Amino acid sequence: MGKGGRASVPTTTATLQPATKDGHWQSPYNPLDPKAPVLPSKGEIKAVIPKECFRRSYVHSMYFVFRDTAMAVGCAYVTYQTLSTDLPSNLLSVEALKWFLGWNLYAFWMGCILTGHWVLAHECGHGAFSPSQTFNDFWGFIMHQALLVPYFAWQYTHAKHHRRTNNTMDGESHTPNTREEMGLGDKKEQHSGYAAIHEAIGDGPFAMLQIFAHLVIGWPLYLMGLASTGRLGQDGKRLEEGEIIDHFRPWSKMFPTKLRLKIAVSTIGVVAAWVAIYHACREYGALPVTLWYIGPLLWNQAWLVLYTWLQHNDPSVPQYGPGEWTWVRGALSTIDRPYGIFDFFHHKIGSTHVAHHLFHEMPFYKADVATAAIRAYLEPKGLYNYDPTPWYLAMWRVAKTCHYIDELEGIQYYKSLEDAPLSVKKSD
């Protein structure tokens, strides 16, 4: 891995390659282009947004809490009236098929609805929910802890994600792996690690593995500090090889000392939730608890990882080393994408993400108005990223193309293991 803190030089800066070979969307902004536009300041961008977009309302925000809760109650009621938690006696029967499909349908839509609560708690963490941070933290803590999210810990690391977006060294969540970390040799041959897995199973299966790793196990691994965290501790020092910064230990190097009490409260909340789950399993059985709660929770976690993954990653969107990174560069590396009906459930978090990263204190229910203003200002300059590709196709493309960057310095672009040569052994 490269060393942080040095200014990059042109000879070590990556060259921009086409996003794909078949005409897919490509970011209009190329910082390596000598004719690249001068980036506006945050203040210049804010000036084009109507001032009412920044007004936070207790009533408006709480309306969405009640709306999403009503949908969750309705989904649970319909399911309770139509499905049984008892396993069918004949697993090969039509009845068993209906049971299986019914509970999977419930898990998907309840997980979808609960992601709305997750987004609202995320708004609380940013201070966008209401004018009172105490009010925000009260409701954010309840909604996030109910979804096994350590509220105060993630509030801090997510704020860092916003402060250091697409920073190869000090970024937080979905921090790109380097060529060496992926297991590529000096000639980019695949000899170990993920590269060896890719060579063994092939392009398509590896993309499927990427999707599984992100959407199914990515969130708990991230919270435990085992994947996707930054390379620096909160003191700005490089982490030692194998050093873990997790969301649960108050003394984790991820957090400053002054936050230890809040981190402890979040961890206690998560432990208390797991204790409640354990007692529910003893009282009602593991299967009912899995059907009613764990299934939707898995879909909820898949959605939240999907958004962060897709809103900041594309082969044509730059990643910046410490010497090249600026806050505006990082924020403008965000991508807006269409999510169809899921925009309703998830409060347009994916289709207004550029505005959100520029001004996280803005309430979500004004983000579409702000996005229109930002787009009108940035798009003529070639600085607004909107990929019209359906999210599920974009997910597949990112899983196939965004695997590693060459190094941590300079301006880097994601590259794909599909373009790397085979190992020396297989090439002979």
Side-chain angles (χ1 to χ4, degrees):
M1 288 195 272
K3 297 180 179 180
R6 296 180 301 164
S8 60
V9 293
T11 56
T12 63
T13 299
T15 56
L16 176 63
Q17 299 297 324
T20 65
K21 298 179 181 179
D22 50 1
H24 282 303
W25 175 83
Q26 183 171 344
S27 174
Y29 177 62
N30 173 11
L32 299 175
D33 188 342
K35 298 180 180 179
V38 176
L39 300 184
S41 68
K42 183 178 181 180
E44 289 172 328
I45 300 172
K46 187 174 183 178
V48 307
I49 302 173
K51 292 183 179 179
E52 59 266 23
C53 290
F54 294 91
R55 293 174 187 157
R56 296 162 294 175
S57 167
Y58 294 97
V59 174
H60 205 162
S61 294
M62 288 304 299
Y63 159 76
F64 285 101
V65 174
F66 290 123
R67 187 203 75 171
D68 290 357
T69 302
M71 288 193 296
V73 171
C75 183
Y77 177 77
V78 171
T79 304
Y80 179 78
Q81 294 296 321
T82 56
L83 292 173
S84 169
T85 56
D86 295 331
L87 195 66
S89 57
N90 184 359
L91 297 180
L92 299 179
S93 63
V94 174
E95 177 190 2
L97 178 61
K98 292 180 179 178
W99 184 89
F100 177 81
L101 293 177
W103 278 110
N104 273 275
L105 191 65
Y106 161 79
F108 176 81
W109 283 111
M110 181 60 89
C112 179
I113 293 168
L114 293 178
T115 301
H117 291 84
W118 184 92
V119 172
L120 294 174
H122 151 271
E123 291 283 301
C124 291
H126 278 304
F129 191 74
S130 81
S132 167
Q133 193 55 44
T134 301
F135 187 83
N136 296 339
D137 287 342
F138 175 81
W139 286 102
F141 186 87
I142 291 173
M143 290 186 284
H144 261 177
Q145 299 290 156
L147 297 171
L148 302 184
V149 180
Y151 174 74
F152 290 114
W154 190 79
Q155 179 187 46
Y156 177 82
T157 59
H158 188 63
K160 182 185 176 185
H161 163 69
H162 275 253
R163 291 195 306 269
R164 297 290 187 269
T165 306
N166 282 34
N167 185 311
T168 61
M169 280 294 297
D170 202 22
E172 185 64 35
S173 81
H174 300 282
T175 308
N177 289 315
T178 62
R179 172 173 57 83
E180 292 84 1
E181 290 169 339
M182 288 299 287
L184 292 174
D186 294 337
K187 298 180 180 180
K188 296 188 178 181
E189 72 278 6
Q190 307 180 51
H191 66 80
S192 63
Y194 285 109
I197 295 174
H198 172 265
E199 183 176 34
I201 65 179
D203 296 344
F206 187 78
M208 295 174 65
L209 178 62
Q210 285 281 292
I211 293 172
F212 174 85
H214 279 81
L215 304 192
V216 180
I217 61 176
W219 178 247
L221 289 180
Y222 171 63
L223 292 182
M224 291 187 290
L226 301 177
S228 195
T229 58
R231 293 180 165 87
L232 305 179
Q234 60 83 24
D235 57 0
K237 295 180 180 179
R238 183 72 176 267
L239 297 173
E240 299 292 336
E241 188 71 27
E243 193 169 10
I244 294 175
I245 49 174
D246 60 90
H247 283 73
F248 301 107
R249 292 175 301 150
W251 57 89
S252 170
K253 286 188 177 181
M254 184 174 277
F255 309 110
T257 304
K258 65 180 181 180
L259 287 183
R260 286 189 174 182
L261 178 59
K262 283 189 171 183
I263 305 307
V265 170
S266 291
T267 300
I268 291 171
V270 172
V271 171
W274 276 112
V275 169
I277 292 170
Y278 170 76
H279 283 292
C281 288
R282 293 197 60 175
E283 179 72 21
Y284 304 106
L287 181 58
V289 173
T290 299
L291 294 173
W292 283 113
Y293 180 73
I294 301 299
L297 184 69
L298 290 175
W299 277 108
N300 163 248
Q301 294 177 354
W303 275 113
L304 67 93
V305 172
L306 177 72
Y307 280 119
T308 312
W309 190 23
L310 294 190
Q311 305 318 129
H312 302 287
N313 293 293
D314 185 89
S316 68
V317 170
Q319 307 283 328
Y320 296 101
E324 295 284 354
W325 182 89
T326 67
W327 184 88
V328 172
R329 272 185 162 181
L332 292 182
S333 296
T334 308
I335 309 165
D336 281 345
R337 300 183 185 276
Y339 285 89
I341 190 176
F342 300 109
D343 267 343
F344 169 79
F345 292 98
H346 302 159
H347 309 295
K348 301 182 181 179
I349 191 63
S351 59
T352 62
H353 213 71
V354 174
H356 173 64
H357 258 261
L358 286 167
F359 306 104
H360 62 263
E361 70 278 12
M362 180 193 304
F364 67 92
Y365 42 80
K366 296 290 187 178
D368 51 352
V369 175
T371 294
I374 291 171
R375 184 171 188 172
Y377 176 68
L378 293 179
E379 197 165 46
K381 303 176 184 295
L383 296 174
Y384 175 71
N385 288 326
Y386 175 77
D387 181 1
T389 308
W391 62 268
Y392 45 89
L393 296 179
M395 176 182 66
W396 181 249
R397 175 150 52 95
V398 169
K400 286 175 66 67
T401 57
C402 295
H403 296 154
Y404 70 95
I405 57 175
D406 282 329
E407 57 179 315
L408 298 176
E409 301 295 338
I411 299 174
Q412 300 292 329
Y413 286 88
Y414 265 116
K415 295 185 177 180
S416 174
L417 289 174
E418 295 184 10
D419 299 323
L422 299 177
S423 64
V424 175
K425 180 179 179 180
K426 288 198 172 185
S427 298
D428 291 339

